[in-house]
Amino acid sequence: MGFRTKSLRLQFSLVFAALIASFAVVMSVVVGQLAASRVEDALGFELSELAFHMGDKFDRGMSARMAELSVLTELETLRTPQDIPALQRLLDHLHTVLPVFTWVGFLDPEGKVLAASDGLLVGTNIAHRPVYTEGRRGAFMGDVHEAVLLAPYFPTASGEPPRFVDLGFPVYRTDGILAGVLASHLSFDWAREIERSLITNLQDRRRVDLFILGADGSPRLGPVGSPETVPAPLIATARQNLNGWAVTSWPKGEPALVGYGVERGHAAYPGMGWLFFARVPLTEAYAPVRALQGAILLVGFGLALAFALLGGVISRRIAQPLEAIADAADRLRAGLADQLPRVTGSSEILRLSASLRRLVEALTHSESRAGVLAEQATHDPLTGLPNRAGVSAYLTRIQPTVLAQGSALACLCLDLDGFKAVNDTLGHAAGDLLLQKVAQRLDLGVRAEDLAARLGGDEFLVLIQSPRQGWRDEAQGVAHRLLVALQEPFDIDGHTVQIGCSIGIAAWPVQSQEYLVVQELADDALYEAKHRGKHRAVVHGDPVPA
């Protein structure tokens, strides 16, 4: 069943629900796209700020470490390293106060360790190490490297050698002669401290991964336990723009929103050109957008349900007057009412009700008029009997039944005997009254399923349905009753009038398959009855009596 054939209530409910649901879906898509764009901008800026601050914090930390060691180089204990125990106490104290200095030692001009925190590597010559070779020339900071000599003293959970950043400063005597080199290894674990301090608050809202790369693009720090590397195109973008954010596809991972920044140094610390990245997977970034879309859809479908119910209520108010009109029309058609009632409602309902009432009145009048016209067309206006058109209509209706039942239709043509004399002596009005009374007797003399008709003048026709085998006897019996009935005197305006009639009989389809031929045969039999002396009935084909 199509939508248009459904009830008005259901149509209203479905349309209201579909409109609101469609609006909710469209709003979800549009708002989702706008919100996603806003989230990208806001979160991208936040991540770029995070990457920048991570680099800045790293620069400031390294600058502070360099400043601290630089101050130590001015101490007399280092400039004239005669009191080795005092020098040892100084370095141990520095290590205790600033644990970031995992190892700090003082090397003589030939690279031999004279004193060191916890006494580690004392007496060892590390003249081949960059912390000495570069540190004796001036302030030196080396990139992250593995400290093989110190590995036994600082084991890691992974079993890999610990990683350090080297700091080296030359120490000069008051006469300008090199007194030695102050060397230190900064544990790279402090980078994790920076990471934790920056993303602790962010981790409560979303998953953020931080990456640190060296100037050559090699990894310095990444998510714990993750082998992921930063995509090369993103590294190139960071080097070019220094600070910003981008949406990128991560190798062997989901697309992500990434903020980036490049180390720029601070104060006396020139920086090592490290690159910092803060990453949030797009699924995490768009989580608020998806939640917003879900809320819009939930509210939208809830409104769709509510408006569907509202549509049902509204349509019920609209449909009730229409149903009342339809019910009244059904009662009118069944003959249980003669007109449509007045139905109240909106102006359109009032107009429809009034229009239908006028239409019913017009149709009733037209039907009445059509009935009158049909009656006039098929009945004789004087006697009220069917005329030739009425006979034709009767034959159209009855012939299929006669053929289907294997019966016969006896045709009796009647002509009044003595009618002309009455018409001539008493006048046409008396003749018309006589014809009316003859018609009444003929109509009373036949059954309901049979037909008595006036063909014109004083000529009448009677059609009798009868069995095909006994049609002759039945037709003659009816003819005899009619002869007797019409021989009875008539009272015409106080005058007693007596007439008779002659009857010719034939049968369809016994004597012919064509009814008109049968009627002509009956007419021939009528003339034969007239010829034999009138006041009798003659069956076509019967032998002439001797």
Side-chain angles (χ1 to χ4, degrees):
M1 184 170 63
F3 175 77
R4 294 184 179 179
T5 61
K6 298 184 184 299
S7 69
L8 185 62
R9 296 179 187 177
L10 183 57
Q11 288 187 33
F12 263 84
S13 298
L14 291 177
V15 168
F16 273 49
L19 287 176
I20 299 300
S22 300
F23 178 76
V25 171
V26 171
M27 284 298 296
S28 175
V29 173
V30 173
V31 171
Q33 291 178 344
L34 292 176
S37 177
R38 298 295 185 273
V39 165
E40 283 186 11
D41 290 342
L43 184 56
F45 178 78
E46 183 179 357
L47 292 176
S48 68
E49 287 289 293
L50 178 62
F52 170 80
H53 286 301
M54 188 173 184
D56 182 68
K57 201 165 186 177
F58 179 83
D59 285 344
R60 290 177 182 274
M62 294 299 292
S63 176
R65 303 293 83 76
M66 291 186 69
E68 290 160 357
L69 291 184
S70 178
V71 169
L72 291 180
T73 62
E74 299 298 324
L75 296 178
E76 189 64 25
T77 304
L78 272 71
R79 298 181 71 181
T80 56
Q82 303 298 324
D83 190 352
I84 300 303
L87 181 59
Q88 180 67 48
R89 288 194 299 272
L90 174 65
L91 298 182
D92 284 336
H93 182 67
L94 175 65
H95 171 66
T96 302
V97 174
L98 296 174
V100 67
F101 293 106
T102 304
W103 179 87
V104 58
F106 184 78
L107 287 62
D108 66 13
E110 285 72 33
K112 179 181 177 181
V113 180
L114 296 179
S117 57
D118 296 329
L120 299 178
L121 302 183
V122 172
T124 304
N125 191 298
I126 57 173
H128 61 287
R129 303 299 299 171
V131 71
Y132 168 77
T133 58
E134 299 296 329
R136 67 176 295 159
R137 296 193 183 99
F140 165 73
M141 176 171 285
D143 208 331
V144 175
H145 67 92
E146 295 179 356
V148 179
L149 294 177
L150 290 174
Y153 304 103
F154 301 99
T156 61
S158 63
E160 297 178 353
R163 296 190 302 164
F164 298 99
V165 173
D166 289 345
L167 291 179
F169 288 86
V171 180
Y172 296 98
R173 296 187 315 190
T174 55
D175 58 4
I177 303 297
L178 181 68
V181 174
L182 180 62
S184 175
H185 290 326
L186 300 180
S187 172
F188 198 63
D189 289 341
W190 61 269
R192 288 289 182 194
E193 295 296 328
I194 294 176
E195 176 188 41
R196 282 191 292 270
S197 67
L198 288 174
I199 68 174
T200 297
N201 294 332
L202 285 176
Q203 288 286 16
D204 294 337
R205 292 177 290 164
R206 59 179 65 91
R207 191 185 89 213
V208 181
D209 297 322
L210 297 181
F211 297 83
I212 301 178
L213 303 184
D216 59 354
S218 59
R220 295 292 183 268
L221 183 75
V224 177
S226 173
E228 295 179 288
T229 58
V230 179
L234 185 59
I235 296 175
T237 301
R239 285 172 174 163
Q240 180 179 358
N241 298 331
L242 300 182
N243 187 237
W245 61 273
V247 176
T248 183
S249 295
W250 211 265
K252 299 181 180 179
E254 57 184 321
L257 190 64
V258 184
Y260 54 81
V262 178
E263 183 190 13
R264 303 177 185 181
H266 179 74
Y269 171 61
M272 293 184 288
W274 285 8
L275 297 92
F276 300 84
F277 299 90
R279 179 187 72 176
V280 172
L282 282 184
T283 53
E284 293 280 339
Y286 292 155
V289 177
R290 292 196 301 272
L292 177 62
Q293 288 179 308
I296 292 174
L297 289 176
L298 182 62
V299 172
F301 287 125
L303 288 176
L305 178 59
F307 272 84
L309 297 176
L310 178 62
V313 173
I314 295 174
S315 64
R316 183 179 180 182
R317 294 179 62 87
I318 296 174
Q320 278 180 336
L322 298 178
E323 290 175 349
I325 293 174
D327 291 341
D330 290 338
R331 291 195 299 272
L332 184 65
R333 184 179 59 184
L336 302 177
D338 56 358
Q339 63 178 358
L340 290 176
R342 296 183 183 276
V343 178
T344 59
S346 64
S347 59
E348 291 82 3
I349 295 295
L350 290 174
R351 181 180 176 187
L352 175 62
S353 177
S355 298
L356 289 177
R357 283 171 57 83
R358 290 193 295 269
L359 177 61
V360 169
E361 291 172 359
L363 289 176
T364 302
H365 178 73
S366 298
E367 185 176 353
S368 246
R369 179 65 179 162
V372 171
L373 294 175
E375 183 73 16
Q376 292 176 351
T378 58
H379 287 74
D380 175 49
L382 178 62
T383 62
L385 294 178
N387 55 18
R388 292 183 183 274
V391 172
S392 178
Y394 175 79
L395 289 171
T396 301
R397 186 174 69 255
I398 202 64
Q399 281 179 326
T401 303
V402 172
L403 292 174
Q405 295 178 350
S407 56
L409 189 64
C411 179
L412 284 66
C413 288
L414 291 78
D415 187 78
L416 301 182
D417 297 327
F419 173 76
K420 186 175 183 302
V422 174
N423 209 31
D424 291 342
T425 58
L426 298 179
H428 290 291
D432 289 346
L433 183 56
L434 177 60
L435 289 175
Q436 291 173 348
K437 293 192 174 187
V438 167
Q440 292 173 3
R441 292 186 183 184
L442 289 177
D443 196 38
L444 292 173
V446 298
R447 299 167 303 185
E449 65 268 21
D450 298 331
L451 178 74
R454 182 190 178 206
L455 300 181
D458 60 348
E459 295 180 10
F460 294 86
L461 175 70
V462 173
L463 297 176
I464 307 296
Q465 298 181 48
S466 64
R468 190 167 295 188
Q469 299 302 322
W471 71 268
R472 187 184 300 272
D473 293 337
E474 187 166 345
Q476 287 178 333
V478 173
H480 177 71
R481 290 198 305 271
L482 295 179
L483 286 172
V484 172
L486 294 180
Q487 284 178 346
E488 293 291 328
F490 293 91
D491 181 17
I492 306 297
D493 291 335
H495 299 281
T496 300
V497 174
Q498 190 168 11
I499 61 172
C501 76
S502 300
I503 302 175
I505 304 171
W508 175 87
V510 178
Q511 294 177 309
S512 175
Q513 295 292 324
E514 298 293 332
Y515 168 78
L516 293 179
V517 173
V518 171
Q519 188 170 328
E520 289 177 1
L521 296 178
D523 199 48
D524 290 343
L526 170 63
Y527 283 106
E528 179 62 27
K530 292 277 190 182
H531 180 68
R532 294 183 187 180
K534 302 179 181 180
H535 304 295
R536 70 191 66 225
V538 174
V539 177
H540 178 75
D542 283 359
V544 178

